[in-house]
Amino acid sequence: VQLQASGGGLVQTGGSLTLSCAASGRTFSYNVMGWFRQAKGKEREFVAAISWRGSNTLYADSVKGRFTISRDNAKSAVYLQMSSLKPEDTAVYYCALGPRFSNEGSDFDSWGQGTQVTVSS
């Protein structure tokens, strides 16, 4: 499967961005989708995940209430709506696909190339 993330950019503190991830080459509908991020000099961390039906979501505590993950199986796409952005949200954001509903990167076996999000103070 190929994952293509987009929508990153530069935004001021308190602003909003929506990331998109398009999937191709594998049955998208029956897989969990997730977003992870990696700030410069830090380890990759979980951001959010959504079950294949979209009925279950999971968020990191640091983004809960500010970020919303959603998916459109007809378009083989997953989205991450980010609001009230903070400088500490600055990172490369990666979408990922896997068979298990989890916040562990090891449970996702396909990864996109990443999109940079920079939040200025």
Side-chain angles (χ1 to χ4, degrees):
V1 64
Q2 305 224 345
L3 301 175
Q4 181 73 37
S6 61
L10 175 64
V11 64
Q12 291 186 333
T13 296
S16 300
L17 275 178
T18 297
L19 305 183
S20 301
C21 177
S24 61
R26 173 173 161 183
T27 303
F28 174 84
S29 298
Y30 300 106
N31 285 279
V32 175
M33 293 300 299
W35 286 97
F36 291 76
R37 66 186 181 187
Q38 187 168 19
K40 192 172 183 180
K42 295 188 177 181
E43 293 188 354
R44 182 183 65 195
E45 64 174 357
F46 169 78
V47 176
I50 187 166
S51 61
W52 74 269
R53 290 181 184 270
S55 53
N56 293 299
T57 56
L58 184 63
Y59 295 95
D61 288 344
S62 59
V63 307
K64 204 172 291 183
R66 300 188 298 121
F67 290 11
T68 301
I69 188 171
S70 61
R71 66 190 293 164
D72 185 337
N73 288 341
K75 296 182 179 179
S76 295
V78 63
Y79 308 98
L80 186 68
Q81 295 175 276
M82 305 183 294
S83 61
S84 302
L85 283 162
K86 306 174 182 179
E88 50 264 45
D89 293 317
T90 295
V92 177
Y93 283 71
Y94 299 90
C95 58
L97 177 152
R100 183 178 177 184
F101 187 64
S102 165
N103 62 356
E104 296 289 339
S106 57
D107 287 322
F108 293 82
D109 50 22
S110 294
W111 294 80
Q113 88 290 359
T115 185
Q116 175 71 47
V117 172
T118 303
V119 184
S120 63
S121 57

